[in-house]
Amino acid sequence: MKKILILCSAIVLLNSCSTEPKIKHLTYQNIVILSDLSSRIDNKPSKDINEILKIIDFFKNECVKPGEKIGDRSSIIFSSFSDKVIATIDIDKIKKLEDKQQFINSSGKFQSNGLNYQINDFVLKVNNSYANIRNKGLDLISVLIEKIENEPIVKKDSSLTNGIDTTYINFDNHIYIFTDGYLEYFNKNSNNQFYFGISEIDKVRQYSKINNVDIQTALNTNQSLSLTPIKNKKNQFINLHILETHERDKNDLLQTYKYPIGQRDNEILEAVWRKWAKESGFKSFEWKKY
């Protein structure tokens, strides 16, 4: 009996001395900016660049935090719909912690080509793209689906194990699309799957009026008025943001609208995009008018 008690005491003592496994959860941001560089930005003064600068500032001062944060793994990408990546900053590609911190703080061997330099170069490439690229009549949703599926713009979560300790690396994927929300392209006659322009908007408006229902009810009742959802395993990891800059049915001079509240182009487009994003399985959806 005495031996049993001694053995039990030894087991308790050993358990009390053992190290508890540590589990950490770290979250980083993966920001993707896609700009619809069509004639829309020539029709009215463009507000896109100022909004993009706000996103870049958020990336630097809220995600990376030079001088404050250690070991960040966030990234930011800019592209038009017709191009692959035009500008990118990916902190995660720098593996050594010392090099990473020197890059983030623009110090040591990265004094002249660190984060500050990369951000200035990023902004320059954004400005050049807006000045020189014009794509008319692109099928934006088809291109978006293609980019999500085939380009490395979505980051997956991972984990690292060191002995008994585990660190879970999570990424918040955000895709910001700068557009006016209209989905108009040249080959509508051969493929109208994602075409949604003035005619399609008016069909929703008329159905809503005739049946005396709001826009959301109209879309839920008559599926032919909506966009075709496209499910992708990667969609569940993406927070989709549509940043709408121009309302075609608004008179900026008089500050009046062609249609009453509840029937305006912008409201219909938002409802159509929101329904499509939800049915396509995106993690979240934001429609921002500014």
Side-chain angles (χ1 to χ4, degrees):
M1 185 68 178
K2 185 177 180 181
K3 290 182 179 180
I4 294 174
L5 291 173
I6 293 172
L7 179 62
C8 291
S9 299
I11 291 172
V12 171
L13 182 62
L14 286 172
N15 286 335
S16 65
C17 293
S18 63
T19 304
E20 288 291 327
K22 294 179 181 178
I23 297 176
K24 288 200 296 185
H25 292 269
L26 302 176
T27 301
Y28 304 103
Q29 304 299 311
N30 178 42
I31 299 170
V32 180
I33 302 169
L34 298 176
S35 286
D36 170 18
L37 298 178
S38 62
S39 57
R40 73 177 180 90
I41 57 179
D42 297 320
N43 295 334
K44 296 181 180 181
S46 176
K47 298 181 287 184
D48 292 13
I49 292 178
N50 285 339
E51 197 69 17
I52 291 173
L53 291 177
K54 292 178 185 178
I55 296 173
I56 296 171
D57 184 69
F58 170 79
F59 168 75
K60 177 182 178 181
N61 296 312
E62 299 299 326
C63 301
V64 183
K65 294 185 177 181
E68 298 180 39
K69 195 174 181 181
I70 296 176
D72 189 73
R73 302 178 69 166
S74 299
S75 59
I76 185 169
I77 293 169
F78 171 78
S79 177
S80 71
F81 276 86
S82 61
D83 297 277
K84 294 190 183 296
V85 174
I86 292 174
T88 182
I89 303 172
D90 191 347
I91 310 294
D92 195 29
K93 287 186 175 180
I94 305 175
K95 300 305 178 184
K96 290 184 178 180
L97 183 59
E98 181 182 0
D99 289 346
K100 188 189 294 283
Q101 289 311 115
Q102 287 186 3
F103 175 84
I104 288 172
N105 297 320
S106 299
S107 61
K109 64 181 180 181
F110 291 103
Q111 188 169 6
S112 59
N113 62 342
L115 182 62
N116 288 335
Y117 173 85
Q118 292 293 331
I119 285 178
N120 289 335
D121 185 62
F122 193 101
V123 172
L124 179 63
K125 288 176 178 176
V126 169
N127 282 308
N128 286 341
S129 297
Y130 271 83
N132 298 306
I133 298 174
R134 290 297 177 272
N135 300 128
K136 297 181 180 180
L138 290 180
D139 182 354
L140 297 191
I141 286 189
S142 289
V143 177
L144 173 63
I145 293 167
E146 181 75 15
K147 284 182 176 291
I148 291 172
E149 179 64 30
N150 298 316
E151 294 183 25
I153 61 173
V154 179
K155 292 199 171 190
K156 294 182 179 180
D157 297 342
S158 61
S159 62
L160 300 172
T161 302
N162 181 11
I164 63 171
D165 300 334
T166 302
T167 300
Y168 291 95
I169 309 297
N170 304 310
F171 286 98
D172 277 340
N173 292 281
H174 295 270
I175 295 182
Y176 292 87
I177 298 179
F178 284 82
T179 181
D180 58 9
Y182 296 83
L183 298 165
E184 298 163 323
Y185 49 86
F186 291 130
N187 60 337
K188 176 187 177 182
N189 292 332
S190 60
N191 177 17
N192 65 354
Q193 186 177 26
F194 300 116
Y195 192 97
F196 210 92
I198 298 297
S199 176
E200 287 69 27
I201 291 171
D202 199 52
K203 286 179 183 177
V204 178
R205 186 182 289 118
Q206 294 307 318
Y207 184 94
S208 173
K209 288 180 180 179
I210 292 170
N211 294 278
N212 194 28
V213 295
D214 61 27
I215 297 302
Q216 193 61 60
T217 302
L219 295 174
N220 290 335
T221 304
N222 188 342
Q223 291 295 324
S224 69
L225 299 173
S226 303
L227 295 170
T228 305
I230 300 294
K231 292 187 179 293
N232 184 316
K233 290 181 180 179
K234 295 180 182 179
N235 290 353
Q236 64 184 308
F237 305 112
I238 299 171
N239 302 282
L240 185 62
H241 309 260
I242 307 298
L243 284 82
E244 191 279 329
T245 55
H246 299 143
E247 300 174 88
R248 295 188 200 174
D249 60 342
K250 180 182 179 181
N251 185 316
D252 289 333
L253 182 63
L254 300 176
Q255 289 295 298
T256 57
Y257 287 86
K258 187 176 180 180
Y259 302 100
I261 291 176
Q263 299 290 332
R264 294 170 182 171
D265 283 14
N266 184 275
E267 295 168 314
I268 295 172
L269 287 168
E270 178 183 357
V272 169
W273 271 95
R274 186 175 296 280
K275 185 172 184 289
W276 177 80
K278 181 179 179 180
E279 293 177 348
S280 296
F282 284 89
K283 183 178 181 180
S284 70
F285 177 83
E286 178 192 31
W287 178 280
K288 182 179 178 182
K289 183 177 73 172
Y290 65 95

